[in-house]
Amino acid sequence: MTRGRWEFVSRARGIRAAVILAVEEGRVLLVEQYRVPLGKRCLELPAGLVGDDEGSEDEAPHAAAARELEEETGYRADRWEDLGEYFSSPGMVSESFRLLKATGLTRTGAGGGVAGENIVVHEVPLDGIGRKVADFRASGGAIDVKLLMLLGPQFLGENQ
């Protein structure tokens, strides 16, 4: 889209995303999947589109998050906390995402996503996030910007 001389990307139908910060007993769930725009695998928080399926246009972000958490990671959460709406690259993309914290995790299956997603689940100790990100990047993988919230204390020189 363009507005004046400004060019940006916008999703059709105003589709938003739900992003899940799934944490339990000092560890966080991350997912790895191939991303076509990057041409490589990317390490990310579990996430999915809200109301993207036919007939689910009124889906709540919490419902999408619960569905995506189980599909992608094979976990279900007992407790959810809404951490607000965020914009990942507001100078380029109009899309927002709702960040939801999931706790009280119970394993229900293998995860891996729906057909063709081939998602790999990583259970990472919170004090090992920096090393995981560095190793993944060194292997040629991409890192989703949302992982910066987990790296913040390290970047600021604070203890995790």
Side-chain angles (χ1 to χ4, degrees):
M1 297 183 77
T2 58
R3 201 170 278 151
R5 293 181 42 154
W6 200 269
E7 295 179 359
F8 63 98
V9 178
S10 181
R11 280 200 183 272
R13 300 176 288 131
I15 296 291
R16 300 165 297 145
V19 177
I20 304 112
L21 176 61
V23 291
E24 192 75 31
E25 298 176 1
R27 62 186 168 88
V28 64
L29 297 180
L30 303 179
V31 293
E32 169 189 342
Q33 61 185 312
Y34 183 81
R35 291 300 191 179
V36 172
L38 305 178
K40 59 174 99 177
R41 296 192 66 74
C42 188
L43 190 63
E44 314 168 353
L45 292 172
L49 298 177
V50 179
D52 191 39
D53 293 331
E54 188 70 35
S56 70
E57 293 79 11
D58 294 329
E59 182 179 39
H62 173 272
R67 173 178 40 79
E68 292 292 338
L69 178 65
E70 194 160 6
E71 283 178 5
E72 292 190 1
T73 69
Y75 280 88
R76 186 175 291 149
D78 289 336
R79 294 176 301 283
W80 290 91
E81 181 181 353
D82 188 334
L83 301 177
E85 181 180 28
Y86 297 87
F87 297 84
S88 58
S89 186
M92 178 64 192
V93 180
S94 67
E95 178 184 52
S96 70
F97 64 90
R98 177 68 55 178
L99 182 62
L100 296 124
K101 183 177 180 181
T103 56
L105 303 178
T106 303
R107 188 146 190 116
T108 61
V114 295
E117 285 186 315
N118 300 315
I119 293 172
V120 176
V121 180
H122 297 269
E123 295 184 27
V124 183
L126 289 171
D127 63 2
I129 292 292
R131 173 65 22 220
K132 180 68 173 179
V133 167
D135 290 348
F136 196 84
R137 182 179 285 125
S139 74
I143 307 299
D144 187 292
V145 68
K146 290 178 279 310
L147 295 189
L148 284 172
M149 80 171 127
L150 300 173
L151 294 168
Q154 175 182 321
F155 289 163
L156 295 171
E158 300 172 7
N159 292 330
Q160 280 191 333

